Amino acid sequence: MNSLKWDHTMELGHEAMDADHKQLVALVNQLAEGIANNLGKQAYDAVLDDLMAHTRAHFGMEEKLMAACSYPYADEHRSEHARLIKDARDYRAKFDAGAEPSISLLYFFDQWLTRHILASDRELASFLAGNK
Ligand SMILES: [Fe+2]
Ligand SMILES: [Fe+2]
């Protein structure tokens, strides 16, 4: 199973954001390993809990950054965060209801994370870089 790769395209040049994103990518990769090695629902649940907790903390950090610099696209960015959290919770509910963790779960988190980092977070990081 392919792991989500961290590479320079995901590096946004904002130390705190990059550090969090790296950690989130590592958790998605841990999830991939758990699924590939059939580590069982318990291991998988723990990684998902971790992923959700770190994501919430990370989104909170970005939202503080946006508020502090009166980021003009803060509302859109916040809505995107809220939608990502809702999608992840809905997705997780399916698995709590008995669905088996699979490659589609991984694909979901892969897309969920990389699309947001490469688009919305990149815009925020460039704005922050211009406002130092
Ligand atoms: Fe974000
Ligand atoms: Fe982010």
Side-chain angles (χ1 to χ4, degrees), residues 17 21 58-59 62 66 77 81 84 116-117 120-121 124:
M17 285 172 79
H21 291 157
H58 170 64
F59 285 175
E62 284 185 358
M66 293 191 280
H77 200 128
H81 285 169
L84 289 167
H116 182 72
I117 294 174
S120 309
D121 283 352
L124 171 59

